[in-house]
């Protein structure tokens, strides 16, 4: 194993409340009627691409209007996260610092462009993450983005760490092992490895060296 690729939501942090706050700022006073979302509404959406989220949350709107609204939500969300952050899971920075001494670290998340950057900037974690990718920049599925990161960084033996079945499927598409973050938002069967907290990665990857 030479590298670790991380999912973001449900793996490194929980941004649901911050997203709900920022999106509700956009939803207030819309001509089409007043909408609002809660942290609980977002739970089942975490890990989906933005257009999939829009179809589930705002099915009553025409596709063009939904895209326009979600683009605005994404921009406001990124700005809010840069200033306010989300909830970083315990020991994330300490574990990343330890792992970065032995492995190359990356992030691949189903998010808009600017979202991963907001996460890294708020917590000052840029020094640990060598590269990242998302469909907002490439238009690709998560598994394809994992392969893209693997190819451009010449990774020979990475693993992917995530918290949903879609994350497991993405790792399978990329033909790499999957580590299930059980503390996150999803339920996964048949993961290669399972962790109950982020700090479990330290012992898991020590065993794999």
């Amino acid at each position: 194993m030479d590298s670790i690729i991380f999912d973001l939501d449900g793996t490194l942090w929980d941004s649901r409340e911050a997203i709900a706050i920022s999106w509700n700022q956009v939803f207030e006073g819309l001509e089409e009627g007043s909408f609002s979302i809660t942290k609980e509404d977002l739970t089942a959406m975490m890990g989906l691409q933005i257009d999939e989220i829009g179809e589930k949350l705002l099915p009553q709107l025409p596709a063009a209007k939904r895209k326009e609204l979600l683009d605005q939500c994404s921009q406001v969300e990124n700005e809010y996260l840069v200033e306010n952050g989300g909830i970083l899971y315990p020991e994330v920075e300490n574990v990343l610092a330890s792992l970065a001494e032995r492995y190359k670290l990356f992030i691949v998340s189903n998010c808009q462009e600017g979202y991963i950057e907001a996460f890294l900037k708020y917590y000052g974690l840029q020094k640990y993450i060598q590269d990242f990718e998302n469909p907002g920049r490439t238009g690709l599925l998560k598994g394809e983005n994992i392969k893209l990161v693997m190819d451009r960084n010449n990774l020979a033996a990475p693993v992917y760490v995530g918290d949903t079945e879609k994350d497991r499927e993405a790792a399978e598409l990329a033909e790499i092992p999957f580590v299930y973050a059980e503390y996150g938002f999803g339920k996964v069967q048949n993961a290669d490895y399972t962790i109950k907290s982020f700090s479990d990665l330290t012992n898991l990857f020590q065993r794999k060296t």
Side-chain angles (χ1 to χ4, degrees):
M1 192 179 93
D2 63 349
S3 52
I4 307 167
I5 307 173
F6 296 99
D7 171 51
L8 182 46
D9 296 317
T11 301
L12 298 173
W13 76 344
D14 179 354
S15 62
R16 290 173 298 167
E17 186 166 350
I19 293 173
I21 291 171
S22 61
W23 283 33
N24 284 332
Q25 292 175 357
V26 177
F27 291 159
E28 289 178 359
L30 289 175
E31 293 180 0
E32 295 80 7
S34 180
F35 307 116
S36 65
I37 60 171
T38 66
K39 182 174 73 172
E40 289 68 30
D41 292 330
L42 290 167
T43 300
M45 313 293 174
M46 302 309 283
L48 299 180
Q49 293 193 14
I50 189 69
D51 56 338
E52 296 174 306
I53 294 174
E55 290 172 2
K56 289 181 176 295
L57 286 180
L58 303 167
Q60 70 273 37
L61 296 181
K65 179 62 180 179
R66 189 164 60 227
K67 182 181 185 307
E68 176 187 341
L69 184 59
L70 291 176
D71 285 346
Q72 186 179 357
C73 285
S74 294
Q75 179 179 347
V76 172
E77 175 187 321
N78 288 345
E79 293 169 354
Y80 185 91
L81 290 171
V82 166
E83 296 297 325
N84 300 278
I87 299 174
L88 194 68
Y89 287 126
E91 296 298 313
V92 163
E93 181 165 8
N94 290 338
V95 173
L96 290 179
S98 175
L99 294 173
E101 295 176 357
R102 292 178 293 149
Y103 304 107
K104 298 177 180 179
L105 306 182
F106 306 88
I107 294 176
V108 172
S109 176
N110 270 350
C111 59
Q112 71 272 15
E113 188 169 6
Y115 183 83
I116 298 173
E117 295 93 325
F119 165 78
L120 294 173
K121 182 176 181 180
Y122 184 80
Y123 293 106
L125 300 176
Q126 302 96 321
K127 54 185 174 289
Y128 305 120
I129 304 300
Q130 297 194 16
D131 193 9
F132 56 84
E133 200 50 270
N134 60 78
R137 187 159 66 179
T138 66
L140 299 175
L141 298 174
K142 180 174 280 188
E144 294 169 335
N145 280 324
I146 291 173
K147 291 196 289 185
L148 183 62
V149 167
M150 290 168 59
D151 290 343
R152 71 183 179 213
N153 291 281
N154 300 310
L155 305 183
V159 299
Y160 188 63
V161 183
D163 68 305
T164 68
E165 180 63 19
K166 284 186 174 291
D167 290 336
R168 189 200 63 77
E169 292 171 357
E172 183 177 49
L173 189 153
E175 299 181 324
I176 61 175
F178 176 65
V179 180
Y180 169 40
E182 190 177 57
Y183 55 86
F185 302 132
K187 298 295 183 183
V188 175
Q189 301 292 329
N190 303 318
D192 297 292
Y193 308 94
T194 298
I195 55 173
K196 296 184 180 298
S197 68
F198 194 77
S199 59
D200 286 349
L201 289 174
T202 303
N203 290 331
L204 174 63
F205 291 141
Q206 282 178 345
R207 293 199 304 268
K208 289 181 64 62
T209 56

